Amino acid sequence: MDYTTLGRTGLKVSVAGLGTGGGSRLGMKTGKTKAQSVALIHAALDHGINLIDTAEQYKTEPIVGEALKTVPRDKVVLCTKHHDVWMRERTPPAEVVAGLDNSLRTLGTDHVDVFYVHSVRPANYDYTMSVTVPALLKEKEKGKFRFLGFTEAGPPDPVHEMAGRAIPEGVIDVLMFAFSMLQQNGRRAV
């Protein structure tokens, strides 16, 4: 396995990470059992993958938590996320913090390595920066997460406007941006 540095964190992560969302959700959406999903995580770790990305919304945090019970916490870079704006509805910071706390309980850990504000759109950027981020930085000071990140909203932000604003401000440590066979302009823009 090859490894690289994750954003501004200094963390060494596998170039291939294990995402727990998408169409499969660790096999749970295709009829796999919880034990099979846990085994999938263990197989990924056995192959050198040390980056696991999940989210409360994916409904896979309990499986990740179960799988990591037998793994030393410092052997995994664990990331989760929560929306602060969803379907144009702004989520009060207290609810985002409650989501973080719930994720920590569900994952069975006292901290995650990266906590992402999920799907930050250009139209919501100012709200995220002025309302959500200050509340989250207080939680970071309490040790609930080590690094702050944003994830990009792919189709609603095809020119990576949010990334163009967030990166120079230096508040976030990690940016998960939209990059696929159909959207490769991030190679130049980000």
Side-chain angles (χ1 to χ4, degrees):
M1 179 63 64
D2 291 329
Y3 296 86
T4 190
T5 301
L6 180 63
R8 298 176 178 158
T9 68
L11 298 171
K12 297 294 180 201
V13 297
S14 49
V15 294
L18 180 62
T20 66
S24 170
R25 303 217 171 154
L26 294 172
M28 297 302 291
K29 290 195 92 173
T30 59
K32 301 296 183 199
T33 66
K34 184 175 182 180
Q36 289 172 311
S37 297
V38 167
L40 173 70
I41 294 169
H42 287 161
L45 295 170
D46 290 345
H47 282 89
I49 291 174
N50 72 341
L51 176 67
I52 298 178
D53 178 74
T54 190
E56 182 179 41
Q57 179 183 6
Y58 301 164
K59 311 250 186 277
T60 53
E61 288 180 337
I63 296 166
V64 173
E66 181 66 29
L68 296 184
K69 282 182 180 177
T70 60
V71 178
R73 181 63 188 84
D74 64 345
K75 299 297 181 195
V76 176
V77 175
L78 184 57
C79 310
T80 194
K81 56 188 85 68
H82 201 286
H83 288 96
D84 72 335
V85 178
W86 181 245
M87 305 301 269
R88 297 194 176 115
E89 294 294 322
R90 292 181 171 172
T91 304
E95 286 184 34
V96 178
V97 170
L100 168 61
D101 290 339
N102 186 59
S103 292
L104 294 174
R105 274 190 303 280
T106 305
L107 290 165
T109 187
D110 63 348
H111 75 282
V112 292
D113 296 292
V114 180
F115 186 73
Y116 289 101
V117 180
H118 199 22
S119 196
V120 179
R121 298 171 186 234
N124 303 327
Y125 181 80
D126 291 333
Y127 175 80
T128 299
M129 288 299 291
S130 64
V131 177
T132 306
V133 167
L136 287 175
L137 292 178
K138 289 177 184 173
E139 301 308 303
K140 179 181 178 184
E141 289 175 9
K142 296 175 186 176
K144 293 181 183 180
F145 64 93
R146 296 172 61 197
F147 301 100
L148 180 63
F150 287 175
T151 71
E152 185 178 66
D157 189 6
V159 296
H160 311 282
E161 179 185 338
M162 182 277 293
R165 292 178 70 188
I167 293 169
E169 289 196 37
V171 173
I172 61 169
D173 303 298
V174 182
L175 172 70
M176 185 184 299
F177 69 97
F179 186 83
S180 68
M181 290 177 63
L182 300 176
Q183 187 173 354
Q184 295 191 14
N185 63 344
R187 187 183 311 269
R188 292 178 311 281
V190 180

Short mmCIF file of all heavy atoms in Angstrom, two decimals, residues 118-184:
data_model
loop_
_atom_site.label_atom_id
_atom_site.label_comp_id
_atom_site.label_asym_id
_atom_site.label_seq_id
_atom_site.Cartn_x
_atom_site.Cartn_y
_atom_site.Cartn_z
N HIS A 118 -20.29 18.56 6.13
CA HIS A 118 -20.60 17.82 4.91
C HIS A 118 -21.33 18.68 3.88
O HIS A 118 -22.27 19.39 4.21
CB HIS A 118 -21.47 16.63 5.30
CG HIS A 118 -21.52 15.53 4.29
ND1 HIS A 118 -20.56 15.33 3.34
CD2 HIS A 118 -22.42 14.53 4.12
CE1 HIS A 118 -20.87 14.26 2.62
NE2 HIS A 118 -22.00 13.77 3.08
N SER A 119 -20.85 18.61 2.67
CA SER A 119 -21.52 19.18 1.50
C SER A 119 -21.72 20.69 1.62
O SER A 119 -22.83 21.21 1.52
CB SER A 119 -22.87 18.47 1.29
OG SER A 119 -23.36 18.72 0.01
N VAL A 120 -20.62 21.39 1.84
CA VAL A 120 -20.68 22.85 1.97
C VAL A 120 -20.82 23.46 0.57
O VAL A 120 -19.94 23.33 -0.26
CB VAL A 120 -19.42 23.41 2.68
CG1 VAL A 120 -19.50 24.93 2.76
CG2 VAL A 120 -19.27 22.79 4.05
N ARG A 121 -21.92 24.10 0.33
CA ARG A 121 -22.19 24.74 -0.97
C ARG A 121 -21.79 26.20 -0.92
O ARG A 121 -21.82 26.82 0.15
CB ARG A 121 -23.67 24.61 -1.30
CG ARG A 121 -24.12 23.17 -1.42
CD ARG A 121 -25.62 23.05 -1.53
NE ARG A 121 -25.99 21.65 -1.51
CZ ARG A 121 -26.74 21.06 -2.43
NH1 ARG A 121 -27.24 21.77 -3.42
NH2 ARG A 121 -27.02 19.79 -2.34
N PRO A 122 -21.44 26.77 -2.07
CA PRO A 122 -21.06 28.18 -2.08
C PRO A 122 -22.09 29.10 -1.42
O PRO A 122 -21.72 30.01 -0.68
CB PRO A 122 -20.90 28.49 -3.57
CG PRO A 122 -20.53 27.19 -4.19
CD PRO A 122 -21.31 26.16 -3.41
N ALA A 123 -23.37 28.84 -1.66
CA ALA A 123 -24.42 29.69 -1.09
C ALA A 123 -24.47 29.61 0.44
O ALA A 123 -24.99 30.52 1.09
CB ALA A 123 -25.78 29.30 -1.67
N ASN A 124 -23.95 28.53 1.01
CA ASN A 124 -23.98 28.35 2.46
C ASN A 124 -22.64 28.61 3.13
O ASN A 124 -22.53 28.50 4.35
CB ASN A 124 -24.42 26.91 2.79
CG ASN A 124 -25.75 26.58 2.17
OD1 ASN A 124 -26.61 27.44 2.05
ND2 ASN A 124 -25.92 25.35 1.76
N TYR A 125 -21.65 28.93 2.35
CA TYR A 125 -20.29 29.06 2.87
C TYR A 125 -20.20 30.07 4.01
O TYR A 125 -19.59 29.79 5.05
CB TYR A 125 -19.33 29.43 1.74
CG TYR A 125 -17.90 29.56 2.19
CD1 TYR A 125 -17.11 28.43 2.37
CD2 TYR A 125 -17.34 30.80 2.45
CE1 TYR A 125 -15.80 28.54 2.79
CE2 TYR A 125 -16.03 30.92 2.88
CZ TYR A 125 -15.27 29.78 3.04
OH TYR A 125 -13.97 29.89 3.46
N ASP A 126 -20.79 31.24 3.85
CA ASP A 126 -20.70 32.27 4.89
C ASP A 126 -21.35 31.80 6.19
O ASP A 126 -20.82 32.05 7.28
CB ASP A 126 -21.32 33.58 4.42
CG ASP A 126 -20.50 34.25 3.31
OD1 ASP A 126 -19.28 34.02 3.26
OD2 ASP A 126 -21.10 34.98 2.50
N TYR A 127 -22.48 31.11 6.09
CA TYR A 127 -23.13 30.56 7.29
C TYR A 127 -22.22 29.55 7.97
O TYR A 127 -22.01 29.60 9.19
CB TYR A 127 -24.47 29.90 6.91
CG TYR A 127 -25.14 29.22 8.08
CD1 TYR A 127 -25.86 29.95 9.01
CD2 TYR A 127 -25.04 27.84 8.24
CE1 TYR A 127 -26.47 29.33 10.09
CE2 TYR A 127 -25.65 27.21 9.32
CZ TYR A 127 -26.36 27.95 10.23
OH TYR A 127 -26.96 27.34 11.29
N THR A 128 -21.65 28.65 7.19
CA THR A 128 -20.77 27.63 7.75
C THR A 128 -19.59 28.28 8.46
O THR A 128 -19.26 27.91 9.60
CB THR A 128 -20.28 26.69 6.64
OG1 THR A 128 -21.41 26.04 6.05
CG2 THR A 128 -19.31 25.64 7.18
N MET A 129 -18.96 29.26 7.82
CA MET A 129 -17.78 29.89 8.40
C MET A 129 -18.10 30.74 9.62
O MET A 129 -17.33 30.76 10.58
CB MET A 129 -17.07 30.74 7.35
CG MET A 129 -16.36 29.92 6.28
SD MET A 129 -15.08 28.84 6.93
CE MET A 129 -13.86 30.06 7.41
N SER A 130 -19.22 31.43 9.60
CA SER A 130 -19.51 32.37 10.70
C SER A 130 -20.29 31.75 11.85
O SER A 130 -20.21 32.25 12.98
CB SER A 130 -20.27 33.59 10.17
OG SER A 130 -21.54 33.21 9.67
N VAL A 131 -21.02 30.67 11.60
CA VAL A 131 -21.87 30.09 12.63
C VAL A 131 -21.39 28.70 13.06
O VAL A 131 -21.18 28.43 14.24
CB VAL A 131 -23.35 30.05 12.16
CG1 VAL A 131 -24.23 29.38 13.20
CG2 VAL A 131 -23.85 31.45 11.84
N THR A 132 -21.22 27.81 12.10
CA THR A 132 -20.89 26.41 12.41
C THR A 132 -19.45 26.24 12.85
O THR A 132 -19.17 25.58 13.86
CB THR A 132 -21.19 25.51 11.19
OG1 THR A 132 -22.55 25.72 10.79
CG2 THR A 132 -20.97 24.05 11.53
N VAL A 133 -18.51 26.82 12.10
CA VAL A 133 -17.09 26.61 12.40
C VAL A 133 -16.71 27.08 13.81
O VAL A 133 -16.04 26.34 14.53
CB VAL A 133 -16.20 27.24 11.31
CG1 VAL A 133 -14.75 27.31 11.76
CG2 VAL A 133 -16.32 26.43 10.01
N PRO A 134 -17.12 28.27 14.25
CA PRO A 134 -16.76 28.66 15.62
C PRO A 134 -17.24 27.66 16.68
O PRO A 134 -16.51 27.36 17.64
CB PRO A 134 -17.41 30.03 15.80
CG PRO A 134 -17.51 30.58 14.41
CD PRO A 134 -17.80 29.38 13.55
N ALA A 135 -18.45 27.14 16.50
CA ALA A 135 -18.97 26.15 17.46
C ALA A 135 -18.14 24.87 17.41
O ALA A 135 -17.84 24.27 18.47
CB ALA A 135 -20.43 25.85 17.16
N LEU A 136 -17.75 24.45 16.22
CA LEU A 136 -16.96 23.22 16.11
C LEU A 136 -15.55 23.40 16.66
O LEU A 136 -15.00 22.47 17.25
CB LEU A 136 -16.92 22.75 14.65
CG LEU A 136 -18.22 22.15 14.14
CD1 LEU A 136 -18.11 21.82 12.66
CD2 LEU A 136 -18.59 20.90 14.94
N LEU A 137 -14.97 24.56 16.47
CA LEU A 137 -13.62 24.77 17.00
C LEU A 137 -13.59 24.66 18.52
O LEU A 137 -12.59 24.23 19.10
CB LEU A 137 -13.06 26.10 16.50
CG LEU A 137 -12.76 26.14 15.00
CD1 LEU A 137 -12.26 27.52 14.59
CD2 LEU A 137 -11.79 25.04 14.57
N LYS A 138 -14.70 25.01 19.17
CA LYS A 138 -14.79 24.82 20.63
C LYS A 138 -14.77 23.33 20.98
O LYS A 138 -14.18 22.92 21.98
CB LYS A 138 -16.06 25.48 21.18
CG LYS A 138 -16.01 26.99 21.15
CD LYS A 138 -17.32 27.59 21.62
CE LYS A 138 -17.25 29.12 21.49
NZ LYS A 138 -18.54 29.74 21.77
N GLU A 139 -15.40 22.52 20.13
CA GLU A 139 -15.41 21.07 20.36
C GLU A 139 -14.04 20.47 20.07
O GLU A 139 -13.61 19.53 20.75
CB GLU A 139 -16.50 20.40 19.51
CG GLU A 139 -17.90 20.91 19.77
CD GLU A 139 -18.28 20.89 21.24
OE1 GLU A 139 -18.23 19.80 21.86
OE2 GLU A 139 -18.62 21.97 21.79
N LYS A 140 -13.35 21.03 19.10
CA LYS A 140 -11.99 20.59 18.81
C LYS A 140 -11.09 20.83 20.02
O LYS A 140 -10.28 19.97 20.38
CB LYS A 140 -11.45 21.32 17.58
CG LYS A 140 -10.04 20.93 17.22
CD LYS A 140 -9.54 21.71 16.01
CE LYS A 140 -8.10 21.32 15.70
NZ LYS A 140 -7.55 22.11 14.60
N GLU A 141 -11.25 21.99 20.65
CA GLU A 141 -10.47 22.31 21.86
C GLU A 141 -10.73 21.31 22.98
O GLU A 141 -9.86 21.06 23.81
CB GLU A 141 -10.79 23.72 22.34
CG GLU A 141 -10.25 24.81 21.45
CD GLU A 141 -10.69 26.21 21.88
OE1 GLU A 141 -11.28 26.36 22.97
OE2 GLU A 141 -10.44 27.15 21.11
N LYS A 142 -11.90 20.71 22.99
CA LYS A 142 -12.24 19.69 23.99
C LYS A 142 -11.68 18.32 23.63
O LYS A 142 -11.84 17.36 24.40
CB LYS A 142 -13.77 19.58 24.14
CG LYS A 142 -14.42 20.84 24.67
CD LYS A 142 -15.94 20.69 24.67
CE LYS A 142 -16.63 21.98 25.05
NZ LYS A 142 -18.11 21.85 24.95
N GLY A 143 -11.08 18.20 22.44
CA GLY A 143 -10.46 16.94 22.03
C GLY A 143 -11.39 15.97 21.32
O GLY A 143 -11.04 14.81 21.13
N LYS A 144 -12.56 16.45 20.89
CA LYS A 144 -13.51 15.55 20.23
C LYS A 144 -13.08 15.20 18.80
O LYS A 144 -13.49 14.17 18.28
CB LYS A 144 -14.90 16.16 20.23
CG LYS A 144 -15.49 16.27 21.62
CD LYS A 144 -16.88 16.86 21.56
CE LYS A 144 -17.47 17.06 22.94
NZ LYS A 144 -18.83 17.64 22.87
N PHE A 145 -12.32 16.07 18.17
CA PHE A 145 -11.73 15.75 16.87
C PHE A 145 -10.41 16.48 16.75
O PHE A 145 -10.18 17.49 17.42
CB PHE A 145 -12.68 16.08 15.70
CG PHE A 145 -13.03 17.54 15.54
CD1 PHE A 145 -12.29 18.35 14.69
CD2 PHE A 145 -14.09 18.10 16.22
CE1 PHE A 145 -12.61 19.69 14.52
CE2 PHE A 145 -14.43 19.44 16.06
CZ PHE A 145 -13.69 20.24 15.22
N ARG A 146 -9.55 15.95 15.90
CA ARG A 146 -8.21 16.51 15.77
C ARG A 146 -8.12 17.55 14.66
O ARG A 146 -7.39 18.53 14.78
CB ARG A 146 -7.21 15.39 15.51
CG ARG A 146 -7.11 14.44 16.68
CD ARG A 146 -6.27 13.22 16.38
NE ARG A 146 -4.90 13.61 16.06
CZ ARG A 146 -4.04 12.81 15.45
NH1 ARG A 146 -4.40 11.58 15.11
NH2 ARG A 146 -2.82 13.22 15.19
N PHE A 147 -8.85 17.33 13.56
CA PHE A 147 -8.75 18.21 12.41
C PHE A 147 -10.13 18.47 11.83
O PHE A 147 -11.00 17.59 11.83
CB PHE A 147 -7.84 17.58 11.34
CG PHE A 147 -6.45 17.30 11.85
CD1 PHE A 147 -6.09 16.04 12.25
CD2 PHE A 147 -5.53 18.34 11.96
CE1 PHE A 147 -4.81 15.78 12.74
CE2 PHE A 147 -4.26 18.09 12.46
CZ PHE A 147 -3.89 16.81 12.85
N LEU A 148 -10.31 19.69 11.30
CA LEU A 148 -11.58 20.10 10.71
C LEU A 148 -11.49 20.03 9.20
O LEU A 148 -10.48 20.44 8.61
CB LEU A 148 -11.92 21.53 11.14
CG LEU A 148 -13.21 22.13 10.60
CD1 LEU A 148 -14.43 21.35 11.10
CD2 LEU A 148 -13.32 23.60 11.00
N GLY A 149 -12.54 19.53 8.59
CA GLY A 149 -12.58 19.48 7.14
C GLY A 149 -13.94 19.89 6.60
O GLY A 149 -14.92 19.98 7.34
N PHE A 150 -13.96 20.18 5.32
CA PHE A 150 -15.21 20.41 4.58
C PHE A 150 -15.27 19.38 3.47
O PHE A 150 -14.24 19.00 2.91
CB PHE A 150 -15.23 21.79 3.90
CG PHE A 150 -15.41 22.98 4.80
CD1 PHE A 150 -15.34 24.25 4.25
CD2 PHE A 150 -15.65 22.87 6.16
CE1 PHE A 150 -15.50 25.39 5.03
CE2 PHE A 150 -15.81 23.99 6.96
CZ PHE A 150 -15.74 25.25 6.39
N THR A 151 -16.48 18.94 3.14
CA THR A 151 -16.67 18.19 1.91
C THR A 151 -17.44 19.08 0.95
O THR A 151 -18.26 19.91 1.36
CB THR A 151 -17.42 16.85 2.12
OG1 THR A 151 -18.80 17.10 2.41
CG2 THR A 151 -16.79 16.03 3.22
N GLU A 152 -17.14 18.90 -0.30
CA GLU A 152 -17.71 19.73 -1.35
C GLU A 152 -19.01 19.11 -1.85
O GLU A 152 -19.15 17.89 -1.85
CB GLU A 152 -16.68 19.82 -2.48
CG GLU A 152 -17.04 20.73 -3.60
CD GLU A 152 -15.93 20.77 -4.63
OE1 GLU A 152 -15.69 19.74 -5.29
OE2 GLU A 152 -15.31 21.83 -4.76
N ALA A 153 -19.91 19.94 -2.30
CA ALA A 153 -21.13 19.49 -2.97
C ALA A 153 -20.83 19.44 -4.46
O ALA A 153 -20.74 20.48 -5.10
CB ALA A 153 -22.28 20.43 -2.67
N GLY A 154 -20.62 18.25 -4.99
CA GLY A 154 -20.18 18.09 -6.38
C GLY A 154 -20.99 18.82 -7.43
O GLY A 154 -20.60 19.90 -7.89
N PRO A 155 -22.12 18.27 -7.85
CA PRO A 155 -22.86 18.90 -8.94
C PRO A 155 -23.28 20.35 -8.68
O PRO A 155 -23.20 21.17 -9.59
CB PRO A 155 -24.08 17.99 -9.11
CG PRO A 155 -23.59 16.66 -8.66
CD PRO A 155 -22.66 16.96 -7.51
N PRO A 156 -23.66 20.74 -7.45
CA PRO A 156 -24.03 22.15 -7.25
C PRO A 156 -22.83 23.12 -7.26
O PRO A 156 -23.03 24.32 -7.21
CB PRO A 156 -24.69 22.16 -5.87
CG PRO A 156 -25.05 20.76 -5.57
CD PRO A 156 -24.05 19.92 -6.30
N ASP A 157 -21.62 22.59 -7.32
CA ASP A 157 -20.43 23.45 -7.29
C ASP A 157 -19.41 22.94 -8.32
O ASP A 157 -18.29 22.56 -7.97
CB ASP A 157 -19.83 23.45 -5.88
CG ASP A 157 -18.73 24.49 -5.69
OD1 ASP A 157 -18.49 25.29 -6.61
OD2 ASP A 157 -18.11 24.48 -4.62
N PRO A 158 -19.79 22.95 -9.60
CA PRO A 158 -18.93 22.34 -10.61
C PRO A 158 -17.60 23.05 -10.83
O PRO A 158 -16.67 22.47 -11.39
CB PRO A 158 -19.79 22.38 -11.88
CG PRO A 158 -20.71 23.54 -11.66
CD PRO A 158 -20.99 23.54 -10.18
N VAL A 159 -17.47 24.30 -10.40
CA VAL A 159 -16.20 25.02 -10.59
C VAL A 159 -15.42 25.16 -9.28
O VAL A 159 -14.46 25.91 -9.21
CB VAL A 159 -16.43 26.41 -11.25
CG1 VAL A 159 -17.00 26.25 -12.64
CG2 VAL A 159 -17.32 27.29 -10.39
N HIS A 160 -15.85 24.44 -8.25
CA HIS A 160 -15.13 24.39 -6.98
C HIS A 160 -15.00 25.76 -6.32
O HIS A 160 -13.97 26.09 -5.74
CB HIS A 160 -13.76 23.73 -7.16
CG HIS A 160 -13.81 22.44 -7.91
ND1 HIS A 160 -14.23 21.26 -7.33
CD2 HIS A 160 -13.54 22.15 -9.22
CE1 HIS A 160 -14.19 20.29 -8.24
NE2 HIS A 160 -13.79 20.82 -9.38
N GLU A 161 -16.08 26.52 -6.37
CA GLU A 161 -16.09 27.86 -5.78
C GLU A 161 -15.83 27.80 -4.27
O GLU A 161 -15.05 28.58 -3.73
CB GLU A 161 -17.43 28.54 -6.06
CG GLU A 161 -17.54 29.92 -5.45
CD GLU A 161 -18.92 30.54 -5.64
OE1 GLU A 161 -19.67 30.13 -6.55
OE2 GLU A 161 -19.26 31.44 -4.84
N MET A 162 -16.50 26.87 -3.59
CA MET A 162 -16.31 26.77 -2.14
C MET A 162 -14.85 26.48 -1.81
O MET A 162 -14.26 27.11 -0.93
CB MET A 162 -17.22 25.68 -1.55
CG MET A 162 -17.14 25.55 -0.04
SD MET A 162 -15.76 24.54 0.61
CE MET A 162 -16.20 22.92 0.04
N ALA A 163 -14.24 25.55 -2.52
CA ALA A 163 -12.84 25.20 -2.28
C ALA A 163 -11.93 26.41 -2.51
O ALA A 163 -11.00 26.65 -1.73
CB ALA A 163 -12.42 24.05 -3.17
N GLY A 164 -12.24 27.17 -3.54
CA GLY A 164 -11.46 28.36 -3.84
C GLY A 164 -11.52 29.40 -2.74
O GLY A 164 -10.59 30.19 -2.56
N ARG A 165 -12.60 29.39 -1.99
CA ARG A 165 -12.71 30.31 -0.85
C ARG A 165 -12.11 29.71 0.42
O ARG A 165 -11.43 30.39 1.18
CB ARG A 165 -14.19 30.65 -0.61
CG ARG A 165 -14.80 31.48 -1.74
CD ARG A 165 -16.26 31.77 -1.51
NE ARG A 165 -16.44 32.70 -0.39
CZ ARG A 165 -17.63 33.01 0.12
NH1 ARG A 165 -18.72 32.47 -0.37
NH2 ARG A 165 -17.72 33.87 1.12
N ALA A 166 -12.35 28.44 0.65
CA ALA A 166 -11.95 27.82 1.92
C ALA A 166 -10.45 27.59 2.04
O ALA A 166 -9.88 27.83 3.11
CB ALA A 166 -12.68 26.49 2.09
N ILE A 167 -9.82 27.15 0.98
CA ILE A 167 -8.40 26.80 1.07
C ILE A 167 -7.55 28.00 1.50
O ILE A 167 -6.77 27.88 2.45
CB ILE A 167 -7.90 26.17 -0.24
CG1 ILE A 167 -8.57 24.80 -0.44
CG2 ILE A 167 -6.38 26.04 -0.25
CD1 ILE A 167 -8.36 24.19 -1.80
N PRO A 168 -7.67 29.17 0.87
CA PRO A 168 -6.82 30.29 1.28
C PRO A 168 -7.09 30.80 2.70
O PRO A 168 -6.21 31.37 3.33
CB PRO A 168 -7.12 31.39 0.27
CG PRO A 168 -7.88 30.77 -0.82
CD PRO A 168 -8.48 29.51 -0.30
N GLU A 169 -8.31 30.58 3.21
CA GLU A 169 -8.62 31.07 4.55
C GLU A 169 -7.88 30.30 5.64
O GLU A 169 -7.72 30.80 6.74
CB GLU A 169 -10.13 31.05 4.79
CG GLU A 169 -10.83 32.12 3.97
CD GLU A 169 -12.23 32.41 4.45
OE1 GLU A 169 -12.46 32.39 5.67
OE2 GLU A 169 -13.09 32.66 3.60
N GLY A 170 -7.47 29.06 5.34
CA GLY A 170 -6.65 28.29 6.27
C GLY A 170 -7.36 27.77 7.50
O GLY A 170 -6.71 27.31 8.43
N VAL A 171 -8.68 27.79 7.53
CA VAL A 171 -9.42 27.31 8.70
C VAL A 171 -9.53 25.79 8.69
O VAL A 171 -9.44 25.15 9.73
CB VAL A 171 -10.83 27.95 8.75
CG1 VAL A 171 -11.67 27.34 9.86
CG2 VAL A 171 -10.70 29.45 8.94
N ILE A 172 -9.70 25.23 7.50
CA ILE A 172 -9.86 23.78 7.41
C ILE A 172 -8.51 23.12 7.16
O ILE A 172 -7.61 23.70 6.57
CB ILE A 172 -10.88 23.38 6.33
CG1 ILE A 172 -10.46 23.85 4.93
CG2 ILE A 172 -12.26 23.88 6.69
CD1 ILE A 172 -11.28 23.27 3.80
N ASP A 173 -8.42 21.89 7.63
CA ASP A 173 -7.20 21.11 7.48
C ASP A 173 -7.30 20.13 6.31
O ASP A 173 -6.28 19.71 5.76
CB ASP A 173 -6.93 20.31 8.76
CG ASP A 173 -6.83 21.21 9.97
OD1 ASP A 173 -5.92 22.06 10.00
OD2 ASP A 173 -7.68 21.09 10.88
N VAL A 174 -8.54 19.75 5.97
CA VAL A 174 -8.77 18.75 4.93
C VAL A 174 -9.96 19.18 4.09
O VAL A 174 -10.96 19.68 4.62
CB VAL A 174 -9.08 17.36 5.54
CG1 VAL A 174 -9.27 16.31 4.45
CG2 VAL A 174 -7.99 16.92 6.50
N LEU A 175 -9.85 18.98 2.79
CA LEU A 175 -10.96 19.24 1.87
C LEU A 175 -11.22 17.98 1.07
O LEU A 175 -10.31 17.45 0.44
CB LEU A 175 -10.62 20.39 0.92
CG LEU A 175 -11.62 20.63 -0.20
CD1 LEU A 175 -12.92 21.20 0.36
CD2 LEU A 175 -11.05 21.56 -1.25
N MET A 176 -12.45 17.49 1.12
CA MET A 176 -12.85 16.38 0.27
C MET A 176 -13.62 17.00 -0.89
O MET A 176 -14.72 17.53 -0.70
CB MET A 176 -13.73 15.39 1.03
CG MET A 176 -14.06 14.15 0.22
SD MET A 176 -15.20 13.01 1.07
CE MET A 176 -14.29 12.58 2.53
N PHE A 177 -13.02 16.99 -2.08
CA PHE A 177 -13.68 17.65 -3.19
C PHE A 177 -14.13 16.64 -4.23
O PHE A 177 -13.66 15.50 -4.26
CB PHE A 177 -12.78 18.74 -3.80
CG PHE A 177 -11.56 18.24 -4.53
CD1 PHE A 177 -11.57 18.09 -5.90
CD2 PHE A 177 -10.39 17.95 -3.84
CE1 PHE A 177 -10.44 17.65 -6.57
CE2 PHE A 177 -9.27 17.51 -4.50
CZ PHE A 177 -9.29 17.36 -5.87
N ALA A 178 -15.07 17.09 -5.07
CA ALA A 178 -15.65 16.22 -6.08
C ALA A 178 -14.65 15.99 -7.20
O ALA A 178 -14.17 16.92 -7.84
CB ALA A 178 -16.93 16.86 -6.63
N PHE A 179 -14.34 14.72 -7.41
CA PHE A 179 -13.42 14.33 -8.48
C PHE A 179 -13.84 12.96 -8.96
O PHE A 179 -13.94 12.02 -8.18
CB PHE A 179 -11.98 14.29 -7.97
CG PHE A 179 -10.98 14.04 -9.05
CD1 PHE A 179 -10.53 15.08 -9.84
CD2 PHE A 179 -10.50 12.76 -9.29
CE1 PHE A 179 -9.60 14.86 -10.84
CE2 PHE A 179 -9.58 12.53 -10.30
CZ PHE A 179 -9.12 13.59 -11.07
N SER A 180 -14.13 12.86 -10.24
CA SER A 180 -14.56 11.58 -10.80
C SER A 180 -14.24 11.57 -12.29
O SER A 180 -13.71 12.55 -12.83
CB SER A 180 -16.07 11.40 -10.61
OG SER A 180 -16.78 12.34 -11.42
N MET A 181 -14.59 10.48 -12.93
CA MET A 181 -14.37 10.39 -14.38
C MET A 181 -15.12 11.50 -15.10
O MET A 181 -14.68 11.98 -16.13
CB MET A 181 -14.81 9.02 -14.89
CG MET A 181 -13.90 7.89 -14.44
SD MET A 181 -14.45 6.27 -14.98
CE MET A 181 -14.35 6.45 -16.76
N LEU A 182 -16.25 11.90 -14.57
CA LEU A 182 -17.07 12.90 -15.22
C LEU A 182 -16.78 14.33 -14.77
O LEU A 182 -17.22 15.28 -15.39
CB LEU A 182 -18.55 12.60 -14.99
CG LEU A 182 -19.03 11.25 -15.52
CD1 LEU A 182 -20.46 11.00 -15.15
CD2 LEU A 182 -18.83 11.17 -17.03
N GLN A 183 -16.06 14.49 -13.67
CA GLN A 183 -15.75 15.81 -13.15
C GLN A 183 -14.28 15.84 -12.73
O GLN A 183 -13.93 15.61 -11.58
CB GLN A 183 -16.64 16.19 -11.97
CG GLN A 183 -16.43 17.62 -11.52
CD GLN A 183 -17.42 18.06 -10.47
OE1 GLN A 183 -18.35 17.36 -10.12
NE2 GLN A 183 -17.22 19.24 -9.94
N GLN A 184 -13.40 16.15 -13.70
CA GLN A 184 -11.98 16.13 -13.44
C GLN A 184 -11.35 17.52 -13.38
O GLN A 184 -10.14 17.63 -13.22
CB GLN A 184 -11.27 15.30 -14.51
CG GLN A 184 -11.66 13.84 -14.45
CD GLN A 184 -10.80 12.96 -15.30
OE1 GLN A 184 -9.73 13.36 -15.76
NE2 GLN A 184 -11.26 11.74 -15.52
#
